[in-house]
Amino acid sequence: MHKPASQILSALRGASLLLFRSACPVVGGQAVMEGIMMRHGGGYALATRHPEGEIVVERFPWFSLTGHPLLKKPFLRGFPVLLETLVNGIKALNRSAIVQTDAEEAPASGWQLMLTLLLALFMAVLLFVAAPHGLSLLMQWLGVGGGVEGLTFHLWDGFYKCCIFMGYIWAISLVPDIRRVFQYHGAEHKTIHAFEAGGIVDVAAAAGMSRLHPRCGTTFLLFVICISIILHAVLVPALLYVYTPQGSIAKHALTIAFKLLLVIPISALAYELIRHAARLSDGFWASVLRTPGLVLQRLTTAEPDAAQLEVALAALREALGEETAGRDIRTAEYIVASVERP
């Protein structure tokens, strides 16, 4: 089963794969253990390859935090969408692990899900907030960086944040199970490319598509990191200019706490930016916003095989349900179809 940090990365990767074309229903996706989750509307389909070879397809309701109209407004919806995507992504990952181990299904209780989410968030904070901050303090101690009130501290912080992020992705890509997840990530992208293109959607059509998708949640992660570097460099010194607590420990504790609070506006800005980038017509600014994410996807995706594409097609067909009318989406036989799970 995935470690919490891998769960949060996988869930975030799927956060923003949205199709903004009027000809296509809105679909979001995420790779899981030996399978793919596809979301459409108020539910999502989870297709996994059973160890015996069959494809198991199930449908689940989508847990949402944006039921109130106010939380659907621009610049207010980003953080709730991030949280609900993490919750649903972890649920899908856990369910896919149950299918792979053929274990007795024991639905996760609310406190178990909350504990998993909190542990995943703790690992993310440790890796991408606390560790870069501590390494920037080391640079200050070595005399090659300034204090937290200055720009150089936050430049080092941003540098280490990017290094940890890229190093983490590279390191987990060496794990065979994660490499398989990256192949399913590529299958998800190829299948949605084929669906967007129109016509028959089958293994042959999907195989000919690119495994890189401009609306992948990987771009969302890059936006979060870039925006955090800018806001931390501007707002942290501004905060310390207004109020600086006595003592070095208190000052750095305040700084880290402030960075954690900034996750809310940073995720909101990143969400709106990726939606804007998705709607842009091809051109200079579209390339500027999309290219870094496409380059990073060369690490987070891998070429899938035909069997993995079959799983992606089954997930897409089940997610769309009645909206597949008029579209020829050809899938392999699977053993559980349209099973509604609470």
Side-chain angles (χ1 to χ4, degrees), residues 18-26 193 196-198 213-215 278 282:
L18 302 177
L19 311 182
F20 294 106
R21 300 184 181 183
S22 59
C24 293
V26 178
H193 269 306
E196 288 184 285
H213 199 290
R215 286 173 288 277
D282 292 341

Side-chain angles (χ1 to χ4, degrees), residues 22-45:
S22 59
C24 293
V26 178
V27 178
Q30 175 187 322
V32 296
M33 293 182 65
E34 291 300 325
I36 290 173
M37 178 260 277
M38 290 276 191
R39 183 213 173 172
H40 173 57
Y44 68 89

Side-chain angles (χ1 to χ4, degrees), residues 1-2 6 13 31-35 100 168-185 299-303 305 308:
M1 188 176 295
H2 289 287
S6 299
R13 277 203 312 267
V32 296
M33 293 182 65
E34 291 300 325
Q100 292 310 302
Y168 175 75
I169 292 177
W170 174 80
I172 66 173
S173 70
L174 301 178
V175 179
D177 286 346
I178 301 298
R179 186 68 179 175
R180 293 280 298 174
V181 172
F182 286 178
Q183 286 182 286
Y184 276 105
H185 191 199
L299 290 178
T300 63
T301 65
E303 284 295 329
D305 57 30
Q308 291 165 329

Side-chain angles (χ1 to χ4, degrees), residues 243-266:
Y243 171 71
T244 303
Q246 296 295 320
S248 177
I249 294 178
K251 180 172 67 175
H252 287 286
L254 174 65
T255 300
I256 292 177
F258 185 55
K259 287 181 178 180
L260 294 179
L261 287 176
L262 287 177
V263 169
I264 297 175
I266 287 170

Side-chain angles (χ1 to χ4, degrees), residues 324-338:
T324 58
R327 297 299 304 273
D328 191 353
I329 302 178
R330 300 179 180 179
T331 64
E333 293 297 323
Y334 45 86
I335 58 176
V336 182
S338 300

